[in-house]
Amino acid sequence: MVPIYEPPGHEPETVEKPGKLWLIWQERGFLWSVAWKTFLASAIIALFLPTHYEAVVKVVPGENSGSAMGLMGRFAGPGAGNGLGMGLDAAALLGMKTPGAFYVEALKSRSIQDRIIERFDLRRHYWMLGSRYPRDTYNTRKKLKNFTDIQEDKKSGVIAVAVTDYDPQVAAQIANAYIEELNKLAADLNTSDAHREKVFLEERLKQAKQDLDRASLALSQFSSRSTLMDPGNQSRAMVDAASRIQGEMIATEAELKGVEQIYSQDNVRVRTLRARLTELQGQYTKLMGSSGPPAAGSDAREGAPSMRRLPLLNYEYADLYRQTRIQDSVYEFLTQQYELARIREAKELPTVRVMDRAALPERKSGPFRKLIVILSTMLGLLLACCWVLGKSAWQQIPADDPRRMVAADALRVLQRRLRRPSAT
């Protein structure tokens, strides 16, 4: 303590502040030693700290996602603006979640983090940079979370995703990948009416395609088996052929009768006309078919359906053709509806619009080496001053003080415990 002169009649008093400053001044050599050693150690550590870069991407929720905010705006009135005319948040007052809050939570989700980790192989990437190799995805996820900062501006609704990395190119790529994975996750979580309609039509379209294939296959197999391709034209052609053959038969019979009156039965011309008449009758019989039920597969063996079988075959063909046309119409209608549902889903898909893509960082974002050195040196000096003052206060405590006795006894017990393993 430094005594201060007081006039007569006044009791001398002790001033604490000059005494503490005096103690610190007395130990200035120790403090200087601590200062330059701390300065040197912090400078070396700051020099070896790796440089990191920060890439920022800014996005705005899509128009469809902002429908709730537009509804709140209509509730607030024309002159209310974003805060009901009183600087308040309408969605917050009504307890509604804003689209931006949903996107922020989606960006912080484990699904997107795992996709980013697998996409850029961050476990190997972080290990190559010299940090401790994370043996599992959990530690990598924690490291990625520490390197990512996601903020939402409540007034403008802009979401900023800042990614820090030791490689500026990787930092920009990861920041942009966050938005790509966000849109993919939003598409997977889409539960709108258009999406449900699209899923239903997609399943129904698959079934309609299978029904159409079965109907077309049945029609083609029937046509191949019965050699019936075009019932209308084929019927007219068969009627024309039967009429022509019947006309030739009548003409041949008349000519044969006239020749038989002139020549004998063994005449060459008579035999020729009879043979021709027999051939025409065979063709006519084959074309008309038998009156009884045909044997199975007879039409296929003969190569063409008979006229007696033609009405039945036309009925079967018309039925199969009608089923094919129905399935084709159903498939065409479902295809149109499916494309319309896809368009509606694309319009209602909750996506974010990129305001500023993450560009390649040109300047480092850290570490602040000068600040680290200055703060470390100041902290070292502060701790050294506390040590000096604490040591002086401890020395001023009497030896018979209970606090000192308890501390001395605790120190002896600690020393014995530390020596016990080495003694054994």
Side-chain angles (χ1 to χ4, degrees), residues 49-57 125-126 129 143-144 146-149 161-176 178 358-369:
L49 289 177
T51 303
H52 49 265
Y53 301 86
E54 184 182 65
V56 181
V57 58
H125 175 70
Y126 289 150
L129 293 174
K143 191 178 294 293
L144 178 62
N146 295 332
F147 285 171
T148 305
D149 184 25
V161 180
V163 178
T164 303
D165 198 88
Y166 302 109
D167 188 348
Q169 186 174 1
V170 174
Q173 292 176 354
I174 293 179
N176 293 323
Y178 261 104
L360 190 67
E362 297 180 356
R363 296 184 179 181
K364 65 178 183 179
S365 59
F368 302 101
R369 294 184 173 86

Side-chain angles (χ1 to χ4, degrees), residues 1-6 11-23:
M1 298 292 180
V2 179
I4 300 177
Y5 176 78
E6 297 289 345
E11 296 181 357
E13 59 182 6
T14 304
V15 181
E16 294 296 334
K17 188 173 182 180
K20 294 179 180 180
L21 291 176
W22 176 256
L23 288 175

